[in-house]
Amino acid sequence: GENVEQHPSTLSVQEGDSAVIKCTYSDSASNYFPWYKQELGKRPQLIIDIRSNVGEKKDQRIAVTLNKTAKHFSLHITETQPEDSAVYFCAASNSNSGYALNFGKGTSLLVTP
Amino acid sequence: EAGVTQFPSHSVIEKGQTVTLRCDPISGHDNLYWYRRVMGKEIKFLLHFVKESKQDESGMPNNRFLAERTGGTYSTLKVQPAELEDSGVYFCASSQVPWGRGYGYTFGSGTRLTVV
C-alpha cells in the first residue's frame, strides 16, 4: 500500500519567515495530493491540493509543488503569521481507489511573533 | 450548508464496553469516510462508503469494529468490545460524487474516544 513520509515533525519560524514542509510517497498510482491544516481541537481543513498532472499550484501565501518522478511534494507558506500555527498533514490518494487518503504523520508549525 | 457532524465529541469508556460513534455527512454527499488518529501517529483510513455500500474497508483494524450506513445517510461506527489501543480521535468525512474542482472532503470535528 501507499506510504507517506512527512518532515519535519515540528517546525518553528519567526513571523514573516517562510515555512516548508516536505512529503514523499511510495505508490506511483497516487494522483491526488491534498494538504490539511488542523488547529487545536478543530477539524482538519483542506488548505490546498494538487493533482498529478500539475507541477505547482499557488493560492495567496500558500503553494504546493509536486515532483512525480521523485515522488515528493512540498508545502510552502510565505510571510508566515501567528495564525498559521497548527498541525499540517500531507496526504496522497488514488482516484481509482475512491480517494481514500494516506496521511503523513503531521508537522506541528509554530509561528512566533 | 451544515457541515459534517459527529457525536459524541468525547467518550470515555471502560475496556470491554461497547461504544457507537455517529457521523452525519453533508446532505447529498454519497461518499462517507472514517479515519482514526491514535495519539502521536498519522491519521489512518478505516473505511469508505458510497451511499450505503462499503467501497473499501481495508483499513478496519479487526472484527471488533463494525461500520454501517443504513439508507445511505448517516453512519455509525461501533467498537465492541473496546480495547485500550482503540483510544484516539475518530474522524468522519464526506464528499460528493463525482469530485468537481478537487476540493475533496469535508471533515467532521471528530470523536475523542478514551478507553480506560
Side-chain angles (χ1 to χ4, degrees):
Chain A
E2 174 65 275
N3 181 45
V4 177
E5 299 282 343
Q6 182 172 348
H7 300 280
S9 57
T10 60
L11 179 59
S12 183
V13 300
Q14 287 208 311
E15 182 176 3
D17 288 349
S18 294
V20 180
I21 302 170
K22 299 183 179 182
C23 289
T24 60
Y25 62 99
S26 60
D27 187 353
S28 57
S30 290
N31 57 9
Y32 175 67
F33 307 91
W35 286 86
Y36 285 85
K37 174 184 180 182
Q38 187 180 20
E39 295 174 78
L40 192 63
K42 296 189 176 180
R43 69 191 69 201
Q45 292 206 305
L46 180 71
I47 55 171
I48 195 167
D49 57 8
I50 192 167
R51 295 188 181 272
S52 58
N53 58 348
V54 175
E56 184 173 358
K57 185 176 177 181
K58 189 172 181 181
D59 183 2
Q60 299 182 334
R61 298 186 295 108
I62 295 173
V64 57
T65 58
L66 171 65
N67 182 328
K68 283 192 299 183
T69 303
K71 295 198 191 72
H72 66 70
F73 55 114
S74 300
L75 177 72
H76 304 254
I77 306 174
T78 58
E79 300 170 27
T80 54
Q81 301 165 2
E83 50 266 38
D84 294 331
S85 298
V87 179
Y88 291 80
F89 293 94
C90 65
S93 71
N94 181 346
S95 55
N96 293 327
S97 65
Y99 287 108
L101 297 178
N102 298 281
F103 283 92
K105 289 188 177 182
T107 296
S108 180
L109 173 65
L110 176 65
V111 181
T112 54
Chain B
E1 149 182 280
V4 177
T5 305
Q6 290 186 248
F7 48 94
S9 56
H10 295 84
S11 180
V12 181
I13 61 171
E14 292 185 349
K15 177 182 171 181
Q17 289 187 321
T18 298
V19 63
T20 300
L21 314 180
R22 173 167 168 153
C23 169
D24 285 70
I26 292 173
S27 178
H29 280 194
D30 288 337
N31 287 296
L32 188 150
Y33 304 82
W34 282 98
Y35 288 84
R36 174 174 76 169
R37 187 179 189 204
V38 174
M39 178 77 76
K41 298 194 175 181
E42 65 268 35
I43 302 173
K44 284 274 211 187
F45 167 77
L46 296 177
L47 88 160
H48 171 205
F49 284 100
V50 177
K51 298 185 181 179
E52 68 274 10
S53 299
K54 291 177 184 174
Q55 179 80 4
D56 180 357
E57 52 183 329
S58 60
M60 294 288 263
N62 51 61
N63 58 10
R64 295 186 294 103
F65 289 75
L66 175 64
E68 294 180 324
R69 192 182 182 195
T70 307
T73 54
Y74 71 90
S75 175
T76 58
L77 180 65
K78 181 190 287 187
V79 185
Q80 179 183 28
E83 298 289 345
L84 298 178
E85 64 264 25
D86 300 332
S87 296
V89 181
Y90 290 77
F91 290 103
C92 174
S94 72
S95 71
Q96 286 179 311
V97 175
W99 284 16
R101 294 283 305 278
Y103 285 105
Y105 300 5
T106 300
F107 276 90
S109 296
T111 294
R112 181 174 295 278
L113 174 65
T114 303
V115 182
V116 296

